[in-house]
Amino acid sequence: MKEIIIQNRVIGEGKPTFIIAEIGMSHDGNLEKAKRFIEAAADSGADAVKFQAHIAEAETLQNAPPPPYFSSEPRFSYFKRTAFDRIQLAELKSYAEDRKVVFLCSPFSVAAVDLLESIDVPAYKIPSGENTNLPMLEYIAKKGKPVIISSGMSTIAELEEAISLMRLYNRDIILLQCTSEYPCGYERVGLNLLGEFRQKFGLPVGLSDHTLTIYMPIAAVSLGACVIEKHFTLSRDLYGPDARFSLPPEDFRSMVDGIRAVETALANPVNKDDIVRLGEMKRIFQKSIVSSVKIKQGAVIREEMLDIKKPGEGLPPKCLPEIIGKKARRTILRDSLIHREGNPTMMSHRKQSPDSHIAAVLPVWQVSAEKYISDNKNRHQ
């Protein structure tokens, strides 16, 4: 899978997840509040902050309907009131870079693309409502910068059109599964699409999550997501369309910590046959064959003379069929570990030693589970 670089972050399989704090319009047009958002997102572990570039006249009719989850203010006037100009966006970009986070901003018109180009954004995040705006997608693709596409409300056919067009000019594309529902229920997240998108489009994939909790992004990383986008807010009580669906700083930090923990686990595959570190635990918690009574020297060992108890320093329980019918080489005291000595028809005991190690004992008997089952069948026929 192709690796993509956004600023100094390498995105791809086996690389640290690129985590985007979607600030959106929750700053309500207040530049100082927007800076506080950046500061809090950086402190919460985000790799990038994302804003939105709205130029009302270039984007929407004045009577365009609002989304069902935000009708407190006409969209046209809301966009005009809260939009940042070039100087403000440049200031926010510089502020983000000073705090070691990538500045991203979604354009909603060709004019907004020009605005973002004027401050040299390092990549473009396409909002899903623009996936059918092929002229704008072509315009963005020709800029030659990495592009993150959010699937949102798009069909597979619409995604195919958008990606095919952009690939004519740009191969640095990341595709995020997203469901345009606010909030999104767990049953509508579409984690299954991460694998399907990766196979169908051959692109790095990720998740733009609209649930109210941290669980889905963590799950997505375990399924191969390279990018996570999550709405971020200083408080869910802030005004605007996004705040009440966003994570406050403490929850965002928990999400980031969970993602980094999953990355550590995925980067360190475990070999179940490598038990060197578990030797002491095996000695302590596994069991061995022991004498349940005193067994005199030369006596034929019967099943009722034996028991299975901790520690795992002696013969393992699967050796039980091999011991029954053998003779005691010497007198075996009650509650003693049973060991094989010399003549294969003779058994002896060894007092438990806290210094003994399981590796010194177990190789004496290599009895498979299949042989144990077979021997037991033979004994009971």
Side-chain angles (χ1 to χ4, degrees), residues 95 98 121 148 165-166 354 370:
Y95 193 84
D98 286 345
V121 292
I148 303 172
L165 173 65
M166 299 192 80
E370 291 81 1

Side-chain angles (χ1 to χ4, degrees), residues 144-163:
K145 295 179 178 179
V147 175
I148 303 172
I149 302 176
S150 185
S151 65
M153 62 194 76
S154 301
T155 65
I156 295 294
E158 288 169 342
L159 290 173
E160 287 177 329
E161 284 185 338
I163 292 170

Side-chain angles (χ1 to χ4, degrees), residues 295-302 305 325-330:
I295 304 173
K296 293 183 178 180
Q297 181 178 4
V300 176
I301 299 175
R302 302 188 305 276
M305 296 176 174
K326 300 295 189 299
K327 291 182 180 181
R329 187 182 182 94
R330 62 184 63 140

Side-chain angles (χ1 to χ4, degrees), residues 21-28 30-44 49 51 95 232-235 238 243 246-247 249:
E22 164 66 271
I23 295 170
M25 304 297 288
S26 294
H27 51 75
D28 202 40
N30 184 309
L31 186 65
E32 292 308 311
K33 183 184 288 186
K35 290 180 180 179
R36 292 199 299 273
F37 267 92
I38 294 173
E39 189 82 38
D43 290 343
S44 299
V49 292
F51 291 84
Y95 193 84
F232 179 82
T233 185
L234 297 176
S235 167
L238 292 177
S246 305
L247 290 184

Side-chain angles (χ1 to χ4, degrees), residues 236-284:
R236 282 181 168 163
D237 294 328
L238 292 177
Y239 179 79
D242 301 324
R244 65 184 181 277
F245 307 128
S246 305
L247 290 184
E250 61 273 17
D251 291 340
F252 197 92
R253 166 51 74 180
S254 294
M255 180 192 75
V256 171
D257 290 345
I259 288 171
R260 300 309 181 206
V262 168
E263 289 174 346
T264 299
L266 292 174
N268 293 276
V270 172
N271 178 2
K272 287 300 289 182
D273 290 327
D274 181 8
I275 61 169
V276 173
R277 295 179 61 171
L278 299 177
E280 182 67 7
M281 295 297 286
K282 289 173 75 66
R283 187 181 74 81
I284 293 170

